[in-house]
Amino acid sequence: MNLSFIKCTFDDLKILREFSISTFCDAFEAKNNAEDFKIHLDYSFSKQKLRFELLNPNSEFYFAFLEKELVGYLKMNYNDAQTERFYPNAVELERLYIDKDHQRNGYGEILLQFAINKAKTRNPPFLWLGVWEENLDGIRFYEKHGFKKFETHPYFIGTEQQTDWLMRLTV
């Protein structure tokens, strides 16, 4: 069950985009308005936006492979790349997704531990993330690993405003 991690580069843009869209759709498409969801996908996973994020030295994407098969990915943000700027020394785990065919096999825990270890190298006060308040499985997953809700913020899927729980873990 060993996963290997590869830091994404600009050359990975096409695969990153396809995998990001696929995993996001699997997780949330059925629970959202189709038109708003398409607006969100077109913006959040556009080639231009992902290109900018890949080239940002304060953001890092990592693919997780089981042998040669891509099973998950994560994105971490530092400094001014964080989606909330009032945590300058913290580290944000913006995305952590496992392909639907590989869920419930412990890979999420391995990705999360990888993110925690990466965060620790920066000696932050905490690692934080946002999780949709209706994503009860996600909330339970993060709570199981010591994350605590400390705030909320709005998150938009197209024109629909949703609420994300902000959760953090002291590292």
Side-chain angles (χ1 to χ4, degrees):
M1 185 159 90
N2 288 337
L3 296 182
S4 59
F5 295 91
I6 306 293
K7 185 176 179 182
C8 299
T9 69
F10 185 74
D11 293 336
D12 298 312
L13 177 63
K14 183 177 188 288
I15 295 168
L16 176 63
R17 182 170 185 265
E18 290 170 0
F19 196 77
S20 296
I21 290 170
S22 172
T23 55
F24 193 82
C25 286
D26 289 342
F28 302 115
E29 186 172 26
K31 297 178 182 179
N32 284 279
N33 169 282
E35 186 175 314
D36 282 324
F37 199 78
K38 182 178 181 337
I39 291 168
H40 180 76
L41 289 179
D42 289 347
Y43 171 73
S44 295
F45 301 109
S46 71
K47 289 178 186 174
Q48 296 80 9
K49 187 168 190 311
L50 287 173
R51 182 181 300 120
F52 175 78
E53 292 172 344
L54 279 167
L55 295 174
N56 185 334
N58 288 314
S59 290
E60 296 176 338
F61 288 89
Y62 291 90
F63 286 143
F65 289 93
L66 180 62
E67 296 180 15
K68 294 183 181 195
E69 185 177 6
L70 178 59
V71 299
Y73 87 107
L74 60 86
K75 179 184 182 209
M76 300 185 72
N77 294 322
Y78 313 103
N79 304 318
D80 63 354
Q82 294 179 77
T83 58
E84 295 286 352
R85 289 189 175 39
F86 43 82
Y87 307 117
N89 297 321
V91 173
E92 177 186 16
L93 176 57
E94 185 179 358
R95 297 185 192 144
L96 188 154
Y97 288 91
I98 303 292
D99 179 78
K100 70 178 179 179
D101 295 333
H102 295 91
Q103 292 179 357
R104 310 237 186 272
N105 289 314
Y107 302 138
E109 284 92 355
I110 296 170
L111 260 76
L112 182 58
Q113 191 58 56
F114 177 83
I116 291 168
N117 291 340
K118 290 293 291 177
K120 283 180 180 179
T121 66
R122 294 179 172 259
N123 199 26
F126 55 87
L127 173 65
W128 72 275
L129 54 87
V131 60
W132 185 24
E133 68 182 349
E134 293 187 27
N135 182 358
L136 301 180
D137 287 341
I139 290 169
R140 281 191 291 273
F141 173 80
Y142 292 115
E143 287 177 336
K144 175 182 163 188
H145 292 90
F147 284 80
K148 306 272 189 241
K149 178 184 175 187
F150 68 100
E151 200 170 312
T152 64
H153 74 180
Y155 186 84
F156 286 87
I157 298 290
T159 61
E160 181 185 347
Q161 181 176 325
Q162 300 178 351
T163 301
D164 272 3
W165 283 18
L166 300 185
M167 302 180 78
R168 68 179 168 199
L169 175 71
T170 302
V171 291

